[in-house]
Amino acid sequence: MAWNTTLSNLLRAPLRRLIAAWVELRLIEPLPERLALDPECPTLYVLPHPALSDTLLLETLCARHDLPSPSQCMRFGDLDLRASVPLPTTSRRFGQRSLFTPPFTRLIEYLATHPDEDIQLVPVSVFWGRAPGKRFGLWKLLAADSWQLTGHVRRALSVIVNGKNVELHFGAPLHLKALLDDRPSEVTNRKVARLLRVHFRRARTRVLGPDLSHRRTLIDGVVGSPAVRQAIVEVADAEGLSRARIEKRAWRYGREIASDMSYPVLRFMDSLLEWLWNRLYDGVEVRGLESVKALAGEHTLVYVPCHRSHIDYLLLSYVLYRDGLMPPHIAAGHNLDMPLVGSLLRHGGAFFMRRSFKDNRLYGAVFNEYLHRLLSRGHPLEYFIEGGRSRSGRMLSPRPGMLSMSLRSHARLFADATGHARGMVFVPVYIGYEKVLESATYLRELKGYKKRKESPLGLIRVLGQLRQPFGRVAVNIGEPLHLDAFLDHHTPQWRRQCDLSRPPWLNHAVPLLGIELARRINDAAALNAINLVALVLLTTPHRAIETRVLIRQLALLVALQRRLPGGRHTSFPDGKPEEWVTQAASLGFIERRDQALGELVLADAAQASLLGWYRNNVLHLFALAGLTAFAFRNNTRLRLEELLDLLAPSWPVLCQELFISTPRSLESSLRDMLEALVEQGLLEYRGDAWKRPNGQLEANEQLQLLGGLVQPTLERGFLLLTTLLRQPSGSLSREDLIEQSRQLAERLALLSGLEAPEFFDARLFTGLIDSLHQEGWLWLEQDRVHYGQALEQGARKASALFDPALRQRLLQISTPQPAQASSSAR
């Protein structure tokens, strides 16, 4: 063996220089300066298996970043040790099994006799190419990293082929002294090795994901599963067809659904998307990904982003891949499975689902089984709980389909694993754009035009916009939701009933889960230049404001959010209000016009309609501030008890409609908000009450603009309640109430000169009825809307928020005209 060691030492220096010249690290996680090594403690780097290329790369990296050298020789008593070692692993040489044993035992014995000394172990994982263990052609099979340990030839090919796409991941330093106990050193040695193996396994799962089966093998397993076989039998009997024919149909469904994730395509899309983002956007800012990295590898992750653009599909996968996490399998609408585009998305991890398959027993069985197999293997998933893109910019009501299937799969796994299923964690993601590609499309659809079907030609039209500026994008990770803990809290009986095909607790848990995830997404909202300008400008009567007033109000909104954040993970834009106005103008959302008495900021009808979409992205963050300010429009002085009584009926409904995380106490939240408004000079506290400051026109103007944030929402609620209460309980159907309320809102918009189609969007009234229903203000019987005295009393209190002139105007609009009345009589 001496000649082998000598030869290795002779080759080491030129090979290290070759590695340094050829290899490029695309990611170092964490950055070396954040590794938090103890400079007084000797460092021993631990690799998952013997690999000279990994060791030489580590030596090069440590030299560049002034880290302790892995090649140095450390002396502990009579023990000489190189500062990097591999973990124990077995190999075969000339038919004999040999075992590489790291010198932990002698180190442990040394530390036991030297209690004042310590050694820090630093796990190091190197990934050459990040292929997730699937057949991608002979060359990639030989050269790419995977779950299998590589031989010398394959490792050399991997260095050559993937030298420009290498990742190195450091683990947190592990102090060997902290692991010592009274047990023999051999036992402690095995314990240390086991801890390190667990770390390396989780690191590989986090970066590479679980091992991928071949697509055909996966579909074979789906079609051959008991659930799908049972569905084949039932459908064949029901339709009077042979089982072989129905089995072919099931196979066709499997091919229609299943993704075909391909590592070369992931590499290609990573390069393509990096070019696309640099072309489209001024930057992609990611916040909160550390919490995901801490969970990946140990839990099954389900990413649930808000859905504002088709770009969402690509953006999150790009961000995860760039930051060293395995991209998820993505549930995409069947409408995207079009020529060229569908194949690319499928190879990028998309699996396709029809919009509805409630009446297709076989398709539902195949899709459920496919989803279950992805989850059972621990593959990360991504789907949009809203179902489709939000045309209004608001968070849409969660759809139950995918959530229900995920919960059923988790219960099934829990039952099969007798209570030891892999934990499932939902990861809320907020994606905020300064400008979306579909702005013009959304405006067209809000005006009543039919949605265009997706097509390659439509994609070409979108690509024609690449020369336009689109600002920045924010990807904010919300508070992860551990499913087991959520179910234990809301449906504690779930563990005892998880072996049922459709557990009885499912109908209760799914809506609660959807609402909680929607709230967590909104809690991570990103404020940016566009939505902040939209919040202010759209509260003005004619969509025009003095620049100095706009800047002052922008500063107020950000100050209130910093003082009392509307979400636990809200992010703020860089720069100053003056720069935000400039950014909004550069993206074409506003016009800046010089005038003799000072510059004005204006928005025409089309710009105002577009700005409404961006305002709605973050309106929920300012709901309590706006509602509090609105209460002082019609009241110059209010005590806390009076204000609480005034807002109590409206606040829960507002929370339901805008998916706001309800505070534990409205009273304490109101008190904090009043104190914040006093700090900003918008209110004064005198005696036992708060009041508008006398003679301070500027402060009163700011308070007026702040209250205008919730005025459209309150007006819609007023119109709906007026429409409902004019008729006896049970007189109107749900659809009639929605349509009559929508017509009144459209009339109000036209009479007010308000060019905002989203103001009278029927879906907003649908959501409002759902919110009132959930809060118990009304109920449905045989599709008729019923209410009681509680709603009448609540409506009277809520109407007191409006000043007499506005209340009279709304009543006039909602009063049936004589022509309408006679028409109704006929």
Side-chain angles (χ1 to χ4, degrees), residues 454-511:
E454 283 78 7
S455 66
L457 182 60
L459 178 62
I460 294 173
R461 284 197 295 265
V462 170
L463 293 177
Q465 304 178 37
L466 292 184
R467 295 183 180 180
Q468 301 179 24
F470 285 88
R472 302 183 70 83
V473 184
V475 179
N476 291 353
I477 306 298
E479 188 72 27
L481 184 147
H482 293 257
L483 183 57
D484 285 352
F486 177 85
L487 294 176
D488 287 341
H489 178 72
H490 292 282
T491 54
Q493 72 275 20
W494 78 276
R495 294 177 186 269
R496 301 189 301 273
Q497 301 172 337
C498 59
D499 57 338
L500 303 177
S501 60
R502 186 172 181 85
W505 48 264
L506 202 63
N507 290 338
H508 175 67
V510 169

Coordinates of all heavy atoms in Angstrom, one line a residue, residues 454-511:
E454 N -55.2 28.7 -24.0 CA -53.8 28.7 -24.1 C -53.4 28.0 -25.4 O -54.0 26.9 -25.8 CB -53.1 28.0 -22.9 CG -53.1 28.9 -21.7 CD -54.4 28.9 -20.9 OE1 -55.3 28.2 -21.3 OE2 -54.5 29.7 -19.9
S455 N -52.3 28.5 -26.0 CA -51.8 27.9 -27.3 C -50.4 28.3 -27.5 O -49.9 29.3 -26.9 CB -52.7 28.3 -28.5 OG -52.5 29.7 -28.7
P456 N -49.6 27.6 -28.3 CA -48.3 28.0 -28.6 C -48.2 29.4 -29.3 O -47.3 30.2 -29.0 CB -47.8 26.9 -29.6 CG -48.6 25.7 -29.3 CD -50.0 26.2 -28.9
L457 N -49.3 29.7 -30.0 CA -49.3 31.1 -30.6 C -49.4 32.1 -29.6 O -48.8 33.2 -29.6 CB -50.5 31.2 -31.6 CG -50.7 32.5 -32.4 CD1 -49.4 32.8 -33.2 CD2 -51.9 32.5 -33.2
G458 N -50.3 31.8 -28.5 CA -50.4 32.8 -27.4 C -49.0 32.9 -26.7 O -48.7 34.0 -26.3
L459 N -48.3 31.9 -26.6 CA -47.0 31.9 -26.0 C -46.0 32.8 -26.8 O -45.3 33.6 -26.2 CB -46.3 30.5 -25.8 CG -44.9 30.5 -25.2 CD1 -44.9 31.0 -23.8 CD2 -44.4 29.0 -25.3
I460 N -46.1 32.7 -28.1 CA -45.3 33.6 -29.0 C -45.6 35.0 -28.8 O -44.8 35.9 -28.7 CB -45.4 33.1 -30.4 CG1 -44.9 31.7 -30.6 CG2 -44.8 34.1 -31.4 CD1 -45.1 31.1 -32.0
R461 N -46.9 35.3 -28.6 CA -47.3 36.7 -28.4 C -46.8 37.2 -27.1 O -46.4 38.4 -27.0 CB -48.9 36.8 -28.3 CG -49.5 36.7 -29.7 CD -51.0 37.2 -29.6 NE -51.8 36.4 -28.8 CZ -52.5 35.4 -29.3 NH1 -52.6 35.1 -30.6 NH2 -53.3 34.6 -28.5
V462 N -46.7 36.3 -26.0 CA -46.2 36.7 -24.7 C -44.7 37.0 -24.9 O -44.1 38.0 -24.3 CB -46.4 35.6 -23.7 CG1 -45.6 35.9 -22.4 CG2 -47.9 35.6 -23.4
L463 N -44.0 36.1 -25.6 CA -42.5 36.3 -25.8 C -42.2 37.6 -26.5 O -41.1 38.2 -26.4 CB -42.0 35.1 -26.6 CG -42.0 33.8 -25.9 CD1 -41.4 32.7 -26.8 CD2 -41.2 33.8 -24.6
G464 N -43.2 38.1 -27.3 CA -43.0 39.4 -27.9 C -42.9 40.6 -27.0 O -42.5 41.7 -27.3
Q465 N -43.3 40.3 -25.7 CA -43.2 41.4 -24.7 C -41.9 41.5 -24.0 O -41.7 42.2 -23.0 CB -44.3 41.2 -23.6 CG -45.7 41.1 -24.2 CD -46.7 40.8 -23.1 OE1 -46.6 41.3 -22.0 NE2 -47.7 40.0 -23.4
L466 N -40.9 40.6 -24.4 CA -39.7 40.5 -23.6 C -38.9 41.8 -23.6 O -38.0 41.9 -22.7 CB -38.8 39.3 -24.2 CG -39.4 37.9 -24.0 CD1 -38.4 36.9 -24.5 CD2 -39.7 37.6 -22.5
R467 N -39.1 42.7 -24.5 CA -38.3 43.9 -24.5 C -38.9 44.9 -23.5 O -38.3 45.9 -23.2 CB -38.4 44.5 -25.9 CG -37.6 43.7 -26.9 CD -37.6 44.3 -28.3 NE -36.9 43.5 -29.3 CZ -36.7 43.9 -30.6 NH1 -37.2 45.1 -31.0 NH2 -36.1 43.1 -31.4
Q468 N -40.1 44.7 -23.0 CA -40.7 45.6 -22.0 C -40.0 45.4 -20.6 O -39.6 44.3 -20.3 CB -42.2 45.3 -21.8 CG -43.0 45.5 -23.1 CD -44.4 45.2 -22.9 OE1 -44.9 45.3 -21.8 NE2 -45.1 44.9 -24.0
P469 N -40.0 46.4 -19.8 CA -39.5 46.2 -18.4 C -40.6 45.7 -17.5 O -41.7 46.0 -17.7 CB -39.1 47.7 -18.0 CG -40.0 48.5 -18.8 CD -40.2 47.8 -20.1
F470 N -40.2 44.8 -16.6 CA -41.2 44.1 -15.7 C -40.8 44.3 -14.3 O -41.4 43.6 -13.4 CB -41.4 42.7 -16.1 CG -42.2 42.5 -17.4 CD1 -41.6 42.4 -18.6 CD2 -43.6 42.3 -17.3 CE1 -42.3 42.3 -19.8 CE2 -44.3 42.2 -18.5 CZ -43.7 42.1 -19.7
G471 N -39.8 45.1 -14.0 CA -39.5 45.3 -12.6 C -38.8 44.1 -11.9 O -38.1 43.3 -12.5
R472 N -39.2 44.0 -10.6 CA -38.6 43.0 -9.7 C -39.7 42.0 -9.3 O -40.9 42.2 -9.4 CB -37.9 43.6 -8.5 CG -36.9 44.6 -8.8 CD -36.2 45.1 -7.5 NE -35.4 44.1 -6.9 CZ -34.2 43.8 -7.2 NH1 -33.6 44.4 -8.2 NH2 -33.5 42.9 -6.5
V473 N -39.2 40.8 -8.9 CA -40.1 39.8 -8.4 C -39.7 39.4 -7.0 O -38.5 39.3 -6.7 CB -40.1 38.5 -9.3 CG1 -41.1 37.5 -8.8 CG2 -40.3 38.9 -10.7
A474 N -40.6 39.1 -6.1 CA -40.3 38.7 -4.7 C -40.9 37.3 -4.5 O -42.1 37.1 -4.9 CB -40.9 39.7 -3.7
V475 N -40.1 36.4 -4.0 CA -40.6 35.1 -3.6 C -40.4 34.9 -2.1 O -39.3 34.8 -1.7 CB -39.8 33.9 -4.4 CG1 -40.3 32.6 -4.0 CG2 -40.0 34.1 -5.9
N476 N -41.5 35.0 -1.4 CA -41.4 35.0 0.1 C -42.0 33.6 0.6 O -43.1 33.3 0.2 CB -42.2 36.1 0.7 CG -41.6 37.5 0.4 OD1 -40.4 37.5 -0.1 ND2 -42.2 38.5 0.8
I477 N -41.3 33.0 1.4 CA -41.7 31.7 2.0 C -42.5 32.0 3.3 O -42.0 32.8 4.2 CB -40.6 30.8 2.3 CG1 -39.7 30.6 1.1 CG2 -41.1 29.5 2.9 CD1 -40.4 29.9 -0.1
G478 N -43.7 31.6 3.4 CA -44.5 31.8 4.7 C -44.2 30.7 5.7 O -43.2 30.0 5.6
E479 N -45.0 30.7 6.8 CA -44.8 29.8 7.9 C -45.2 28.4 7.5 O -46.4 28.2 7.2 CB -45.7 30.3 9.1 CG -45.4 29.5 10.4 CD -44.1 29.9 11.0 OE1 -43.6 31.0 10.8 OE2 -43.6 29.0 11.7
P480 N -44.2 27.5 7.5 CA -44.6 26.1 7.1 C -45.7 25.5 8.0 O -45.7 25.8 9.2 CB -43.3 25.3 7.2 CG -42.2 26.4 7.0 CD -42.8 27.6 7.7
L481 N -46.5 24.7 7.5 CA -47.6 24.0 8.2 C -47.3 22.5 8.3 O -47.3 21.9 7.3 CB -49.0 24.3 7.6 CG -50.2 23.8 8.4 CD1 -51.4 24.8 8.2 CD2 -50.6 22.4 7.9
H482 N -47.1 22.0 9.5 CA -46.9 20.6 9.7 C -48.3 19.9 9.8 O -49.1 20.2 10.7 CB -46.1 20.4 11.0 CG -44.7 20.8 10.9 ND1 -43.6 20.0 10.7 CD2 -44.2 22.1 11.0 CE1 -42.5 20.7 10.7 NE2 -42.8 21.9 10.8
L483 N -48.6 19.1 8.9 CA -49.9 18.5 8.7 C -50.4 17.7 10.0 O -51.5 17.8 10.4 CB -50.0 17.7 7.5 CG -51.4 17.1 7.2 CD1 -52.4 18.2 7.0 CD2 -51.4 16.2 5.9
D484 N -49.5 16.9 10.5 CA -49.8 16.1 11.7 C -50.3 17.0 12.8 O -51.3 16.7 13.5 CB -48.7 15.2 12.1 CG -48.4 14.0 11.2 OD1 -49.3 13.8 10.3 OD2 -47.4 13.3 11.4
A485 N -49.5 18.0 13.1 CA -49.9 18.9 14.2 C -51.2 19.6 14.0 O -52.0 19.8 14.9 CB -48.8 19.9 14.5
F486 N -51.4 20.0 12.7 CA -52.7 20.7 12.3 C -53.9 19.8 12.5 O -54.9 20.2 13.1 CB -52.6 21.2 10.9 CG -53.8 21.8 10.3 CD1 -54.1 23.2 10.5 CD2 -54.8 21.1 9.7 CE1 -55.2 23.8 10.1 CE2 -56.0 21.7 9.2 CZ -56.2 23.1 9.4
L487 N -53.8 18.6 12.1 CA -54.9 17.6 12.2 C -55.1 17.3 13.7 O -56.2 17.1 14.1 CB -54.6 16.3 11.4 CG -54.6 16.5 9.9 CD1 -54.2 15.2 9.2 CD2 -55.9 17.0 9.4
D488 N -54.0 17.1 14.4 CA -54.2 16.8 15.9 C -55.0 17.9 16.6 O -55.8 17.6 17.5 CB -52.8 16.7 16.5 CG -52.1 15.4 16.1 OD1 -52.8 14.5 15.7 OD2 -50.9 15.3 16.3
H489 N -54.8 19.1 16.1 CA -55.5 20.3 16.8 C -56.9 20.4 16.4 O -57.8 20.6 17.2 CB -54.7 21.6 16.5 CG -55.4 22.8 17.0 ND1 -55.3 23.1 18.4 CD2 -56.1 23.8 16.5 CE1 -56.0 24.2 18.6 NE2 -56.5 24.7 17.4
H490 N -57.2 20.2 15.1 CA -58.5 20.5 14.5 C -59.4 19.2 14.5 O -60.6 19.3 14.6 CB -58.4 21.1 13.2 CG -57.9 22.5 13.2 ND1 -58.6 23.6 13.6 CD2 -56.7 23.0 12.9 CE1 -57.9 24.7 13.5 NE2 -56.7 24.4 13.1
T491 N -58.8 18.1 14.2 CA -59.5 16.8 14.1 C -58.7 15.7 14.8 O -58.2 14.8 14.1 CB -59.8 16.4 12.6 OG1 -58.5 16.4 11.9 CG2 -60.7 17.4 11.9
P492 N -58.7 15.7 16.1 CA -57.9 14.8 16.9 C -58.2 13.3 16.6 O -57.4 12.4 16.9 CB -58.1 15.2 18.3 CG -59.3 16.0 18.4 CD -59.4 16.7 17.0
Q493 N -59.4 13.0 16.1 CA -59.8 11.6 15.8 C -59.2 11.1 14.6 O -59.3 9.9 14.2 CB -61.3 11.5 15.8 CG -61.9 12.1 14.5 CD -62.2 13.6 14.6 OE1 -61.6 14.3 15.4 NE2 -63.1 14.1 13.8
W494 N -58.4 11.9 13.8 CA -57.9 11.4 12.5 C -57.0 10.2 12.6 O -57.1 9.3 11.7 CB -57.2 12.6 11.8 CG -55.8 12.8 12.2 CD1 -55.4 13.6 13.3 CD2 -54.6 12.3 11.6 NE1 -54.0 13.6 13.4 CE2 -53.5 12.8 12.4 CE3 -54.3 11.5 10.5 CZ2 -52.2 12.5 12.1 CZ3 -53.0 11.2 10.2 CH2 -51.9 11.7 11.0
R495 N -56.2 10.1 13.6 CA -55.3 8.9 13.7 C -56.1 7.6 13.9 O -55.6 6.6 13.5 CB -54.3 9.1 14.9 CG -53.4 10.3 14.7 CD -52.5 10.5 15.9 NE -51.6 11.7 15.7 CZ -50.4 11.7 15.2 NH1 -49.9 10.6 14.8 NH2 -49.7 12.9 15.1
R496 N -57.2 7.7 14.5 CA -58.0 6.4 14.7 C -58.8 6.1 13.5 O -59.4 4.9 13.5 CB -58.9 6.6 16.0 CG -58.2 7.0 17.2 CD -59.2 7.0 18.4 NE -60.3 7.9 18.3 CZ -60.2 9.1 18.6 NH1 -59.1 9.7 19.2 NH2 -61.3 9.9 18.5
Q497 N -59.0 7.0 12.6 CA -59.9 6.7 11.4 C -59.1 6.8 10.1 O -59.7 7.0 9.0 CB -61.0 7.7 11.4 CG -61.9 7.6 12.7 CD -62.9 8.7 12.7 OE1 -62.8 9.8 12.1 NE2 -64.0 8.5 13.5
C498 N -57.8 6.7 10.1 CA -57.0 6.9 8.9 C -57.0 5.7 8.0 O -56.6 5.8 6.8 CB -55.6 7.3 9.3 SG -54.7 6.1 10.2
D499 N -57.6 4.6 8.4 CA -57.6 3.4 7.6 C -58.8 3.3 6.7 O -59.0 2.4 5.9 CB -57.5 2.1 8.5 CG -58.6 2.1 9.5 OD1 -59.2 3.1 9.8 OD2 -58.9 1.0 10.0
L500 N -59.7 4.3 6.8 CA -60.9 4.4 6.0 C -60.6 5.0 4.6 O -59.8 5.9 4.5 CB -62.0 5.2 6.7 CG -62.4 4.7 8.1 CD1 -63.4 5.6 8.8 CD2 -62.9 3.2 8.1
S501 N -61.4 4.6 3.6 CA -61.1 5.1 2.3 C -61.4 6.6 2.2 O -60.8 7.3 1.5 CB -62.0 4.3 1.2 OG -63.3 4.4 1.5
R502 N -62.5 7.0 2.8 CA -62.8 8.4 2.9 C -63.1 8.8 4.4 O -64.3 8.6 4.8 CB -63.9 8.8 2.0 CG -64.2 10.3 2.0 CD -65.2 10.8 0.9 NE -65.3 12.2 0.9 CZ -64.5 13.1 0.3 NH1 -63.5 12.6 -0.4 NH2 -64.7 14.4 0.3
P503 N -62.2 9.2 5.2 CA -62.4 9.4 6.6 C -63.5 10.5 6.8 O -63.5 11.5 6.1 CB -61.0 9.9 7.1 CG -60.0 9.5 6.0 CD -60.8 9.5 4.7
P504 N -64.3 10.3 7.8 CA -65.4 11.3 8.1 C -64.9 12.7 8.5 O -65.6 13.7 8.3 CB -66.1 10.6 9.3 CG -65.2 9.7 9.9 CD -64.3 9.2 8.8
W505 N -63.6 12.8 9.0 CA -63.1 14.1 9.4 C -62.6 14.9 8.2 O -62.3 16.1 8.4 CB -61.9 13.9 10.4 CG -60.9 12.9 10.0 CD1 -60.8 11.6 10.3 CD2 -59.8 13.1 9.1 NE1 -59.7 11.0 9.7 CE2 -59.1 11.9 8.9 CE3 -59.3 14.2 8.4 CZ2 -58.0 11.8 8.1 CZ3 -58.2 14.1 7.5 CH2 -57.5 12.9 7.5
L506 N -62.6 14.3 7.0 CA -62.0 15.0 5.9 C -62.8 16.3 5.5 O -62.2 17.3 5.2 CB -62.0 14.0 4.7 CG -61.0 14.3 3.6 CD1 -59.6 14.3 4.1 CD2 -61.2 13.3 2.4
N507 N -64.1 16.2 5.5 CA -65.0 17.3 5.1 C -64.8 18.5 6.0 O -65.0 19.7 5.6 CB -66.4 16.9 5.1 CG -66.7 16.0 3.9 OD1 -66.0 15.9 2.9 ND2 -67.8 15.2 4.1
H508 N -64.4 18.2 7.3 CA -64.2 19.3 8.2 C -62.8 19.9 8.1 O -62.6 21.1 8.2 CB -64.4 18.8 9.7 CG -64.1 19.8 10.7 ND1 -64.8 21.0 10.9 CD2 -63.1 19.8 11.7 CE1 -64.3 21.7 11.9 NE2 -63.3 21.0 12.4
A509 N -61.8 19.0 7.9 CA -60.4 19.4 7.9 C -60.0 20.2 6.6 O -59.2 21.1 6.7 CB -59.5 18.2 8.1
V510 N -60.5 19.7 5.5 CA -60.1 20.3 4.2 C -60.3 21.8 4.1 O -59.4 22.6 3.8 CB -60.7 19.6 3.0 CG1 -60.4 20.3 1.7 CG2 -60.0 18.2 2.9
P511 N -61.6 22.3 4.4 CA -61.8 23.8 4.3 C -60.9 24.5 5.3 O -60.4 25.6 5.0 CB -63.3 23.9 4.6 CG -63.9 22.6 4.3 CD -62.8 21.6 4.7

